[in-house]
Amino acid sequence: MIITAVGSRSTPLAICEEMTLIGQWAKQNSHILRSGHAPGADYAFEKGAEQNCIVYLPWNRFNNADPIVGGH
C-alpha cells in the first residue's frame, strides 16, 4: 500500500508525534509513505517511515535540506 502523507506546517507537536507513529506503523507493515518534505506534518511522517518514505521535492534543496532519508 502507498500512503500519501499530508498536513499542515503548523501541526501541533502532539499531533506530529501521532503522525510519526503512523509512519512507523507504515514501515513496520511494509507500506510506502509519500511526503512533500514540508515542516510540520510531512517531517513527522518522514521521521517515522524512514527508508519506507518517498520524498517529492518541488525543487532541489527545498527547505534548505535534503530529505530525512533517501531522497527519491
Side-chain angles (χ1 to χ4, degrees):
M1 176 187 320
I2 296 175
I3 301 167
T4 301
V6 295
S8 174
R9 292 172 188 236
S10 59
T11 302
L13 180 59
I15 301 299
C16 283
E17 290 169 354
E18 293 290 326
M19 292 173 166
T20 297
L21 293 175
I22 293 168
Q24 290 171 347
W25 174 87
K27 179 180 73 172
Q28 291 166 355
N29 289 280
S30 301
H31 300 308
I32 301 297
L33 193 136
R34 294 179 181 162
S35 173
H37 195 59
D42 290 10
Y43 282 175
F45 282 122
E46 286 180 43
K47 180 179 174 185
E50 297 178 340
Q51 71 275 7
N52 281 41
C53 187
I54 299 171
V55 178
Y56 294 91
L57 300 178
W59 56 83
N60 288 339
R61 309 281 300 154
F62 176 65
N63 286 331
N64 298 317
D66 291 326
I68 293 171
V69 294
H72 303 323

